[in-house]
Amino acid sequence: MAALVIGHMNPDTDSITAAIACADLLKKLGKDVVPAAQGEPTPETKFVLDKFGLTAPQVVNDVAGKDIYLVDFSDLAQAPKGMDSACVKGIVDHHKLGDVTTAAPLDAWIWAVGCTGTVLKNMYDFYGVEIPKNIAGAMLCAILSDTVIFKSPTCTDADKKAVEALAKIAGVADVKALGMEMFKVKSAVDGASMHDLVFRDYKDFDMNGNKVGIGQLEVVDLSLLDNVKAGLQAEIAKVKSEGRHSVFLLLTDIMKEGSEMLIVSDDPSVVKKAFGVEPKGNSVWLDGVMSRKKQVVPNFEKAFK
Amino acid sequence: MAALVIGHMNPDTDSITAAIACADLLKKLGKDVVPAAQGEPTPETKFVLDKFGLTAPQVVNDVAGKDIYLVDFSDLAQAPKGMDSACVKGIVDHHKLGDVTTAAPLDAWIWAVGCTGTVLKNMYDFYGVEIPKNIAGAMLCAILSDTVIFKSPTCTDADKKAVEALAKIAGVADVKALGMEMFKVKSAVDGASMHDLVFRDYKDFDMNGNKVGIGQLEVVDLSLLDNVKAGLQAEIAKVKSEGRHSVFLLLTDIMKEGSEMLIVSDDPSVVKKAFGVEPKGNSVWLDGVMSRKKQVVPNFEKAFK
């Protein structure tokens, strides 16, 4: 039985393209693997897959008894069902180290860079495996997405170097133009349900025993969300009522480089504790905050201690 | 304040030489770090440090409030005091993924190879940093020790390749002779207390909520231990009485390629569950079993489920 290479819940572009790239690399290293995903691609990811002629990975929500490789996460809260009896053979990630543990040695490449795609680019090089042109294009887009076209504080020199090399392989002449084209697709909210928007890029975390959900919508201009803000606030209240301590939704303006955070919490004081800013009503503007991973999760982790 | 590069409790040769090598590499990459260890070197490690003119790292047993890099482990049970308030910046390891978690992204290189020294050799190469001659010699010995001179089932091609390259750098002509010289030092039990022998290479594990200690003594001939076996059995009973479910001590004969395991447990049936062999009294011969990591811990993890 082929092992699965699978990303986190509510898959984003990195999670899906990393599963495709990692499976390609592992196959070329002689492993029997297939890419998988815990859901359908978002509009942004669809744009990327279509652009480079790639197929979305099969959707898998239960990994009981299977051999698996995790990409783009190491938290059980973001894992599929059946992890108790799955065997994690490897992890490629760029987040904080989560609570996944294994019973046997594994291959884990977890780097403090902006995107799993950057780690994978280095793994291809390390193993001396050539990156297919279309997969290079998809990895490139994942890095542009995760680093918000290099604007995010998570962006490192390694990410920029990887983008430069991947652009050459993929034959992309203007990476910033490609990034903007992708973020315009990402900004489109027309026709999407409130539920879809909240969960488009959403993750649950265990913070000192409290279940905390944090979603993020990135747009090229915050005014695009004016008409849906009230609906989003009502939707996160619903999500919180399903047994969570808090749900936060970051509405990130990638041009203004900051985020409005919508708040629903059993203890809203964690927001001031985390960011030093007093919310106005149910929301707060966080200037310069663009990265959930680097600027939001660590601050909340401390505030919840 | 310099960050600490530190290995597991009851440090073995890999744990100490990996701290030295990893600190050397990180320093050359511009980080402010110093090597540390959770205890004094064993006779084997002392032999290695003396042979290559290296100094034992400072002993540190509390890392509260410090930035740390972990080498050769990722289990909290093997960590120093103060982990709650320490910040883990990186991990280099070759074991199963333990329960250490972080609040922020980190650099983790965790590979399913025979020794942390092998991962570090590849990291030096990846970053294009030259390995100092004496550190190469120490890394070489760590790999020979962890892989029992290539005989352990944990030994991979990557380990053999690393040894070959490190031997050239260190100017070691006959690696097997060096390995045997080291294992003869390791086999010496005269003058050591029973406590020292049990803890010479000892680790605690959390197995499904049970605290389980597993020690290992490797000797070139099991008959060297005839005079101390009763004393060792009494000593592990004492260690068990300090709040553990079980303590197992592997007496490994590296020439016969197997281990006699001394047993003290609240539920001795886990041994048959784990290995399919019925113990005789308080011990059992496990033919071909040389690796705690690959052949003992995973079997017990399953047996305790």
Side-chain angles (χ1 to χ4, degrees), chain A residues 97-98 101-102 106-108 110-112, chain B residues 97-98 102 106-108 110-112:
Chain A
L97 186 59
T101 58
T102 66
L106 77 169
D107 285 306
I110 306 171
W111 292 5
Chain B
L97 185 59
T102 66
L106 78 168
D107 285 306
I110 305 170
W111 292 5

Side-chain angles (χ1 to χ4, degrees), chain B residues 97-118:
Chain B
L97 185 59
D99 51 0
V100 165
T101 59
T102 66
L106 78 168
D107 285 306
W109 296 65
I110 305 170
W111 292 5
V113 294
C115 181
T116 306
T118 301

Side-chain angles (χ1 to χ4, degrees), chain A residues 74 84-85 91 94-113 122 126-127 293-294 297-298 301 305, chain B residues 74 84-85 91 94-113 122 126-127 293-294 297-298 301 305:
Chain A
S74 66
D84 274 359
S85 64
I91 302 174
H94 68 118
H95 296 89
K96 70 194 184 74
L97 186 59
D99 51 0
V100 166
T101 58
T102 66
L106 77 169
D107 285 306
W109 295 66
I110 306 171
W111 292 5
V113 294
N122 283 282
F126 178 83
Y127 289 112
K293 183 179 84 162
K294 197 151 182 171
V297 173
E301 296 252 10
K305 269 207 174 157
Chain B
S74 66
D84 275 0
S85 65
I91 301 174
H94 69 118
H95 295 89
K96 71 194 183 72
L97 185 59
D99 51 0
V100 165
T101 59
T102 66
L106 78 168
D107 285 306
W109 296 65
I110 305 170
W111 292 5
V113 294
N122 283 280
F126 178 85
Y127 289 112
K293 182 179 85 164
K294 198 151 182 170
V297 173
E301 297 252 9
K305 268 208 176 158

